[in-house]
């Protein structure tokens, strides 16, 4: 692995560790501490993720025009400022507004990080994206393990520590990421905006394939994000403590890191991202089947183990395919689009889940999630069929070509 990739890995891990102190507890803070409904909590998280979608698209465009350094630094300046303001102002509406600003700042950073990883290590195939994914989840494990303990002391302290992590990442990026600039920016056409790009794209079939792929990706995230929203509150109703709920995410992060040798072997045997994604989605469905029967911490822990096995197959596969589909000079836009669709799932999921639970209960929510996963399997099959019919894929070099 190139040494420059390690700088991105360290930065991603620091960034996500800080964020993971907060995001698993968002619904609990809004619902239990601010006294708002689950529907309102879903609305707040939807606004946060909606801002992140805008940030993803803007960040991808900035990357393609001016490089990853400016995109990352701009996003971190916004996130650091907002995070420290949150320490002093975290009543209902100030919390909602600052969460939106943090979402936009974070959205600027993520596509640039993925695009830089793919461009720095173009011969790595899925490896640079898997490395970024593992770094993210190492951060989740560290942050979540600390989050429950800190929250039991003070939510204000969580906001402070989150700001310190953002500041640490900012200093790392400011001092080291500029040197990555020359290695990470693709040569290619430059477009004045996303709209201009879409109207003049030379590889329309590749973009259509990306749309099909991402339609299933967003549905998978709608189901997955329930663990961070409705299920977090549901565990509280069952008498599972905050510290135990945080342990679930520690399990998640630990397994993602420790399972990598096995994942590498399994993925090599599959040799096909379609099978990889579909297998992962089926495993997602099994995890929710376990959740429907869970009443104690052990049941949720077992479901989390199963969920994690599914996500290590699905999440790295999508940005890998997007990188292969991207025309030269449009790596940032394609990664921004993938991140924006994932963010859309995280935006819609809490609101949809909150409304269903408030009006119908938990069991109908589980049924809806299973149905969404079935549709996601269908979209993955459609992507594979479209790719075979309209795009030629060279397995040796890992690239799509117009047919």
């Amino acid at each position: 692995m190139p040494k420059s990739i390690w700088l991105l890995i360290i930065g991603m891990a620091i960034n996500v560790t800080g964020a993971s102190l907060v995001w698993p507890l968002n619904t609990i803070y809004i619902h239990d501490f601010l006294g708002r409904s689950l529907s309102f909590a879903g609305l707040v998280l939807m606004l946060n993720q909606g801002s992140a979608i805008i940030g993803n698209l803007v960040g991808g465009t900035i990357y393609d025009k001016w490089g990853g350094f400016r995109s990352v630094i701009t996003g971190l300046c916004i996130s650091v400022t907002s995070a420290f303001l949150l320490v002093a102002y975290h009543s209902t509406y100030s919390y909602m507004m600052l969460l939106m600003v943090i979402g936009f700042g974070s959205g600027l950073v993520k596509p640039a990080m993925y695009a830089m990883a793919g461009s720095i290590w173009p011969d790595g195939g899925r490896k640079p994206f898997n490395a970024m994914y593992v770094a993210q989840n190492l951060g989740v494990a560290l942050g979540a393990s600390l989050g429950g303990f800190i929250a039991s002391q003070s939510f204000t302290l969580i906001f402070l520590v989150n700001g310190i992590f953002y500041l640490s990442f900012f200093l790392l990026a400011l001092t080291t990421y500029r040197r990555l600039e020359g290695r990470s920016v693709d040569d290619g056409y430059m477009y004045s905006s996303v709209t201009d790009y879409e109207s003049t794209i030379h590889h329309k079939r590749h973009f259509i394939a990306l749309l099909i792929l991402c339609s299933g990706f967003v549905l998978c995230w709608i189901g997955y994000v329930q663990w961070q929203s409705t299920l977090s509150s549901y565990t509280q109703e069952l008498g599972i403590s905050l510290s135990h709920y945080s342990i679930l995410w520690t399990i998640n992060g630990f397994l993602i890191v420790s399972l990598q040798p096995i994942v590498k072997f399994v993925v090599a045997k599959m040799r096909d991202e379609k099978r990889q994604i579909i297998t992962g989605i089926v495993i997602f469905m099994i995890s929710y089947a376990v959740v429907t029967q869970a009443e104690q911490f052990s049941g949720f822990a077992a479901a989390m183990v199963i969920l994690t096995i599914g996500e290590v197959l699905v999440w790295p596969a999508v940005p890998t395919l997007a990188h292969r589909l991207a025309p030269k000079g449009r790596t940032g836009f394609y990664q921004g689009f993938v991140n924006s669709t994932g963010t859309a799932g995280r935006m819609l999921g809490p609101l949809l889940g909150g409304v269903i639970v408030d009006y119908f209960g938990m069991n109908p929510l589980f049924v809806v999630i299973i149905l969404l996963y079935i549709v996601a399997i269908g979209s993955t099959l459609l992507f594979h069929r479209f790719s075979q019919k309209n795009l030629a894929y060279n397995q040796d070099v890992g690239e799509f070509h117009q047919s």
Side-chain angles (χ1 to χ4, degrees), residues 29-48:
Y29 179 70
I30 296 168
H31 183 256
D32 295 351
F33 285 80
L34 296 178
R36 300 289 179 166
S37 68
L38 283 176
S39 298
F40 183 83
L43 174 63
V44 172
L45 296 180
M46 183 186 76
L47 294 172
N48 167 259

Side-chain angles (χ1 to χ4, degrees), residues 108-185:
L108 290 175
V109 173
K110 195 172 180 180
M113 296 287 284
Y114 271 86
M116 289 169 74
S119 298
I120 288 170
W121 195 8
D123 298 327
R126 70 185 293 274
K127 293 177 183 177
F129 304 101
N130 195 65
M132 299 302 290
Y133 166 72
V134 172
Q136 277 187 266
N137 287 278
L138 177 61
V140 170
L142 295 173
S145 63
L146 294 172
F149 172 75
I150 298 174
S152 64
Q153 308 300 315
S154 167
F155 264 95
T156 301
L157 186 58
I158 279 188
F159 302 142
L160 175 61
V161 176
N162 180 35
I164 291 171
F165 272 100
Y166 277 132
L167 180 60
S168 300
F169 182 27
F170 171 79
L171 294 174
L172 173 69
L174 186 65
T175 55
T176 62
Y177 282 15
R178 188 183 292 276
R179 75 183 68 164
L180 306 181
E181 199 75 89
R183 309 177 197 176
S184 63
V185 181

